[in-house]
């Protein structure tokens, strides 16, 4: 009779409770996995100016920026010593000239075309910098490289 029904009801409740606990544990696991996957999808840190320089400029300009990269010996014209830009400009870093040279906007007809135009390589989110009293948009990677070059000045 009645005792068997109560026993079955108790066993069913225990089974339901056990199932609920397992589902809760499974949901926590799924949640933690989802959080981990989403964390892995976060945008990576953008490269620094030093990293961009190392990846794109050292073959010609050398790791120290003096123009002694492994490609330099095979060029008709030795790459510029990028550590003396300020010294050659009256002690002032020529930011606008550096940006436009790297970007490819400023091309001197005497300038050997061995230096690629890096405008498309250094595109990205825009920063604003002041040039001649005017706020000017500059791609962030391009600005990072120029600021790194500014840090190399002797």
């Amino acid at each position: 009779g009645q005792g068997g029904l109560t026993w079955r009801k108790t066993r069913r409740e225990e089974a339901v409770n056990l199932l609920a606990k397992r589902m809760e544990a499974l949901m926590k696991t799924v949640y933690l996995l989802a959080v981990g996957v989403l964390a892995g999808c976060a945008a990576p840190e953008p490269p620094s100016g030093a990293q961009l320089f190392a990846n794109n400029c050292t073959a010609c300009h050398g790791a120290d920026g003096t123009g002694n990269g492994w490609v330099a010996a095979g060029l008709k014209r030795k790459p510029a010593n990028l550590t003396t830009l300020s010294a050659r400009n009256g002690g002032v870093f020529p930011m606008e000239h550096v940006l436009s040279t790297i970007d490819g906007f400023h091309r001197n007809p005497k300038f050997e075309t061995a230096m690629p135009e890096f405008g498309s390589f250094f595109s990205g989110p825009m920063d604003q910098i002041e040039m001649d009293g005017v706020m000017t948009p500059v791609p962030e990677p391009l600005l990072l490289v120029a600021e790194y070059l500014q840090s190399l000045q002797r």
Side-chain angles (χ1 to χ4, degrees):
Q2 219 35 10
L5 187 59
T6 304
W7 179 81
R8 276 185 262 178
K9 185 178 175 187
T10 303
R11 292 292 290 158
R12 190 176 333 152
E13 287 174 353
E14 287 174 0
V16 168
N17 286 338
L18 181 61
L19 182 59
K21 286 180 182 178
R22 287 185 178 168
M23 288 298 292
E24 183 180 357
L26 178 62
M27 293 305 293
K28 285 180 181 178
T29 302
V30 168
Y31 174 77
L32 290 173
L33 286 172
V35 168
V37 167
L38 290 175
C41 293
E45 284 292 315
S48 67
Q51 290 168 321
L52 290 167
F53 181 83
N55 294 342
N56 297 283
C57 310
T58 57
C60 295
H61 293 284
D64 62 357
T66 59
N68 63 353
W70 63 271
V71 172
L75 298 175
K76 292 178 189 172
R77 182 173 169 185
K78 183 177 177 6
N81 180 342
L82 302 176
T83 66
T84 61
L85 295 168
S86 293
R88 290 182 276 140
N89 192 51
V92 177
F93 185 75
M95 180 63 81
E96 185 175 353
H97 178 76
V98 168
L99 290 169
S100 62
T101 299
I102 296 169
D103 182 68
F105 183 73
H106 176 268
R107 286 289 171 175
N108 183 332
K110 298 180 203 169
F111 187 70
E112 183 179 358
T113 57
M115 181 168 162
E117 294 179 9
F118 281 97
S120 61
F121 292 107
F122 294 145
S123 61
M126 301 299 263
D127 275 344
Q128 296 278 331
I129 64 167
E130 186 178 336
M131 289 196 290
D132 296 327
V134 177
M135 293 308 289
T136 306
V138 176
E140 184 179 303
L142 176 60
L143 183 58
L144 289 171
V145 171
E147 288 172 341
Y148 175 69
L149 294 177
Q150 188 171 18
S151 76
L152 295 181
Q153 301 309 292
R154 297 182 194 165

